[in-house]
Amino acid sequence: MTMSAGGVPHANGPVVAGDAGVTFAFSASGPEEEAARDAVVRAANHLLARQDAEGWWKGRFTTDVSYDAHDLFLRHVLGVPDERLAKASARWIRSQQSADGSWPLVFEGEGHLGTTVQAYAALRLAGDGPDEEHMLRCAAWVRARGGVAAAQLTARVWLAMLGCWSWDDLPEVPPEIIALPKWAPLNIYSFSSVMRVALVAISIISAHRPVRPAPFAIDELSAPPGTSAVPPAPSGGREKLFWRLNATVRVCSKGIPRPVREAAENACVRWLLERQEEDGSWGACTPMTTWVVLALHLHGYPPDHPVLKAAWGFLEDCGAWPEDGVRALHTVHSPVWDTCLSATALLDAGLAPGHPALVKAADWLLTRQADRPGDWAARRPRLSPGGWAFQFHNRTYPDNDDTSEVALALHRVNHPDPTRVDDALGRAVRWCLGMQSRNGGWAAFDVDNTSTLPARVPFFDFGEFCTDPPTADITAHVVEMLAALGRARDPRTRRAVRWLLGQQEANGAWYGRWGVNYVYGTGSVLPALVAAGVPRGHAAVRRAVAWLTSVQNADGGWGESWESYADPARAGRGPSTPSQTAWALLGLLAAGERDSTVVRDGVRWLTERQTEDGTWDEPQFTGTLVPRAVAAHYGYYGHVFPLMALGRYVRHTGDVSVGRQRNEATEPDR
């Protein structure tokens, strides 16, 4: 006898529960499992109702308000202000201000000086006066923290363009950097892909030093008397050397012959134009596109040039209007990531692998696979393309994370054309294997992008995150994918497993580079290790289980503060959230802890907090773009991960290795 999600017994065959057609082949073991089944059905129905007709899902992806400010700055510097848009953006920026007058990087987080300075300047551009109460609170907060001089570099670059800071007090980024060969220190490929595009664009901007004075001064943001007017230079010997070298570069730049400088700028422009995407963007990302639009304008491109018109079209498309008269900028669109995670969540819930929604999602994902080399080919020139990127249109920067998660979803779908899927998966496996770094791990976008020099130059203030080294979370997803596709015994998979085991922290957790933080890293690594054949009784698995158990909140959930990136003492500590609770459960389920009190309490936390329409509320930012610098809120994280965790719980499976078995793919072409 089987039982429906609502507890009604049926005598014949599997039960079909709800519109999703989710089936349960056995009776629930108790009230917790019964509640979890009901939550799974409602969550699956909620997700299915939100699939686009073309097959994709996309949640709203948001970051802090600094990029809304950049949009207003760009329009001012280019002389194309839009009063209606400025007023609408200002309403959004004001709505995100904290009670102390600052703007944080994350929901209810601590104020961030650079973001706050940029928000203030943007509001002044939009017409807010310095004597308004919210502006007075902001100015006082900024002054108490050292004023504009202590703000992050990006804020001061934009202020220089507004005439509120001196270009002489900023790093010099010569466009001649484009000519450095790939083997040279500090060539553009030494930087991560995100920083690389910005670096090339900023080199053009730096050469022109544009200034369109704002119709106001921001003296009210100046530091109190007695504080340093300029941020102190780094104290290390090598850092001091770079600052001295940068000062020398500034002097030498004035003597560069005009033809040489023009040739360098032209080379930078050609490099940028080769990377414009079909949607008019660079990297399908508003910050990168904003920098490039400004650079091309300064280089002489007229506003009606097709390149700039396409770019403006992308920027306009990224403006969301959550309510009348309010505009919030999307930093990126995330359909590939949201779609593969949604498909996996529905499969975990028990949706039939051949369900039309899953086939449609697979069809759409298959059209997004990269078919031409991107920047990764600088280090892997003979490797054939085969990855997926995050966005609608981004063939230049596919990443190992999206590629592995798309492959994990595709291999479980019962597609009417399995040969087509197999071919795509074969290309994905070859590409991922070819992107493995020397140490055995995988990074997001590049191979062996591990130089320590970019973190020491004054071009950016993101520190070690100017590069793209292998990380535990991405390596885990690739390992999980390789294991699911029959590659668990491949020597390269085994090497990656050894690397993961070596990355475990002393407390049993793993660092999370792309999600907050140790809960994300640990919840990613445990399923990968088990899928790759590491026994559940292995010491590393047991240490991880003990750590997750130790940081469970009294309410049964899990949460971790964004501040854990700056303060490891906060690892695993914070108010419970749906996505972080799900990540912990995914790790514990993979480790064989399904029947533990810890898991039951976590499941209960999720089921008791599901909303009436079948989802979960999660205002917290649990995604990461740059630790300590750029956080992200994924609109679907608070839904797809709880659905995965509850689905695996009620279906008594802890990993996603189920699916059609694949033959070993051919060796990657390096």
Side-chain angles (χ1 to χ4, degrees):
M1 179 176 291
T2 59
M3 189 168 293
S4 72
V8 180
H10 294 267
N12 299 314
V15 178
V16 177
D19 298 335
V22 174
T23 62
F24 301 110
F26 42 81
S27 299
S29 60
E32 287 100 355
E33 188 170 341
E34 191 67 48
R37 287 186 176 195
D38 180 66
V40 164
V41 171
R42 293 197 294 131
N45 286 333
H46 179 96
L47 195 54
L48 285 170
R50 281 151 182 80
Q51 186 180 27
D52 187 84
E54 292 184 359
W56 47 264
W57 283 270
K58 182 178 74 68
R60 184 180 172 195
F61 182 98
T62 55
T63 55
D64 61 85
V65 301
S66 60
Y67 301 118
D68 300 86
H70 294 181
D71 189 65
L72 297 185
F73 298 157
L74 177 68
R75 295 168 190 274
H76 172 80
V77 174
L78 267 57
V80 289
D82 183 322
E83 184 176 356
R84 172 177 172 269
L85 183 149
K87 296 295 185 184
S89 295
R91 292 187 187 98
W92 170 253
I93 293 172
R94 283 194 296 270
S95 74
Q96 303 302 299
Q97 188 178 23
S98 299
D100 64 3
S102 70
W103 276 265
L105 295 176
V106 299
F107 176 76
E108 294 184 343
E110 299 173 2
H112 184 263
L113 183 58
T115 298
T116 300
V117 167
Q118 292 174 90
Y120 184 93
L123 291 179
R124 291 296 309 273
L125 275 179
D128 288 20
D131 295 331
E132 296 184 50
E133 192 273 337
H134 65 288
M135 301 292 276
L136 291 170
R137 281 189 290 119
C138 175
W141 188 92
V142 171
R143 289 194 301 270
R145 282 151 186 84
V148 172
Q152 286 71 21
L153 178 61
T154 301
R156 289 181 282 124
V157 169
W158 282 110
L159 291 179
M161 289 187 259
L162 299 179
C164 298
W165 192 258
S166 172
W167 278 102
D168 289 337
D169 292 331
L170 295 172
E172 188 83 10
V173 187
E176 288 77 17
I177 194 173
I178 195 73
L180 290 176
K182 296 181 180 69
W183 51 262
L186 295 180
N187 75 85
I188 62 172
Y189 295 100
S190 298
F191 294 81
S192 70
S193 60
V194 174
M195 303 299 174
R196 189 179 308 139
V197 174
L199 180 71
V200 175
I202 289 173
S203 74
I204 299 173
I205 298 168
S206 178
H208 287 266
R209 294 185 162 203
V211 177
R212 182 181 288 268
F216 53 81
I218 55 170
D219 296 339
E220 62 272 20
L221 300 187
S222 297
T227 54
S228 175
V230 180
S235 58
R238 184 175 294 181
E239 287 84 351
K240 288 181 178 179
L241 174 62
F242 275 120
W243 278 101
R244 288 197 295 268
L245 177 61
N246 194 255
T248 302
V249 168
R250 177 178 293 114
V251 173
C252 293
S253 292
K254 298 177 181 179
I256 292 177
R258 185 180 182 89
V260 174
R261 176 52 55 92
E262 289 179 351
E265 279 197 43
N266 288 335
C268 289
V269 168
R270 285 194 300 271
W271 189 92
L272 290 169
L273 294 180
E274 290 169 357
R275 285 154 179 79
Q276 187 174 29
E277 298 292 340
E278 182 180 332
D279 60 1
S281 73
W282 279 265
C285 169
T286 55
M288 291 162 62
T289 303
T290 297
W291 290 118
V292 178
V293 165
L294 179 55
L296 294 179
H297 166 80
L298 294 171
H299 191 69
Y301 276 60
D304 60 350
H305 191 284
V307 168
L308 287 185
K309 288 178 68 175
W312 275 111
F314 170 80
L315 293 175
E316 294 292 351
D317 184 57
C318 287
W321 296 77
E323 57 185 273
D324 187 40
V326 177
R327 182 180 186 265
L329 198 68
H330 282 275
T331 311
V332 296
H333 296 297
S334 54
V336 172
W337 187 243
D338 291 339
T339 299
C340 66
L341 294 181
S342 295
T344 293
L346 289 170
L347 287 159
D348 286 340
L351 196 68
H355 191 284
L358 294 175
V359 173
K360 186 177 291 187
D363 282 333
W364 183 81
L365 286 170
L366 289 168
T367 68
R368 300 294 96 192
Q369 190 171 26
D371 55 4
R372 62 176 175 83
D375 269 12
W376 51 267
R379 295 177 186 265
R380 289 291 184 267
R382 294 189 297 276
L383 180 63
S384 299
W388 275 268
F390 189 72
Q391 307 94 337
F392 283 112
H393 302 286
N394 185 2
R395 302 304 172 100
T396 306
Y397 299 106
D399 63 271
N400 289 299
D401 216 10
D402 278 274
T403 301
S404 56
E405 291 295 337
V406 169
L408 277 168
L410 286 178
H411 100 283
R412 297 175 64 188
V413 175
N414 186 8
H415 195 276
D417 188 355
T419 301
R420 182 185 176 204
V421 175
D422 286 342
D423 289 345
L425 291 176
R427 293 194 298 274
V429 167
R430 287 190 291 272
W431 187 74
C432 279
L433 287 174
M435 293 292 289
Q436 188 175 28
S437 290
R438 283 190 295 266
N439 64 10
W442 277 271
F445 301 96
D446 286 311
V447 181
D448 294 320
N449 187 260
T450 57
S451 171
T452 60
L453 292 179
R456 299 176 184 272
V457 298
F459 295 163
F460 298 103
D461 48 14
F462 292 139
E464 69 268 33
F465 302 108
C466 287
T467 56
D468 184 21
T471 64
D473 42 8
I474 292 177
T475 300
H477 293 158
V478 178
V479 166
E480 190 173 15
M481 178 269 289
L482 292 173
L485 296 180
R487 289 279 192 164
R489 297 182 180 179
D490 188 295
R492 290 158 294 192
T493 306
R494 307 317 305 163
R495 188 156 57 100
V497 169
R498 290 193 295 272
W499 184 82
L500 282 173
L501 292 173
Q503 294 298 304
Q504 189 174 28
E505 303 280 336
N507 62 8
W510 277 272
Y511 177 83
R513 164 63 179 85
W514 297 94
V516 181
N517 171 354
Y518 292 94
V519 173
Y520 179 73
T522 308
S524 298
V525 172
L526 279 175
L529 292 179
V530 173
V534 175
R536 290 186 169 99
H538 191 283
V541 175
R542 302 329 303 167
R543 286 198 301 271
V545 168
W547 181 78
L548 285 172
T549 301
S550 73
V551 297
Q552 185 177 31
N553 288 328
D555 60 12
W558 280 265
E560 184 168 358
S561 165
W562 164 260
E563 281 74 26
S564 66
Y565 283 114
D567 181 8
R570 300 194 189 189
R573 302 298 182 184
S576 299
T577 70
S579 62
Q580 290 168 322
T581 297
W583 295 337
L585 287 174
L586 290 170
L588 292 168
L589 289 168
E593 298 296 309
R594 182 188 182 280
D595 296 325
S596 67
T597 300
V598 173
V599 167
R600 286 198 297 270
D601 288 346
V603 167
R604 186 182 304 112
W605 189 92
L606 286 176
T607 57
E608 289 178 352
R609 285 159 180 79
Q610 190 178 32
T611 64
E612 291 185 3
D613 61 349
T615 189
W616 288 264
D617 290 329
E618 183 172 277
Q620 294 86 356
F621 284 45
T622 61
T624 306
L625 296 185
V626 182
R628 304 192 303 271
V630 187
H633 179 270
Y634 290 79
Y636 272 17
Y637 269 23
H639 187 91
V640 294
F641 286 112
L643 180 54
M644 285 183 198
L646 293 176
R648 295 180 197 183
Y649 175 77
V650 300
R651 290 169 59 77
H652 294 244
T653 178
D655 57 59
V656 299
S657 60
V658 294
R660 293 179 295 151
Q661 292 297 313
R662 306 284 177 182
N663 294 325
E664 294 280 321
T666 59
E667 293 295 314
D669 180 20
R670 285 181 178 256

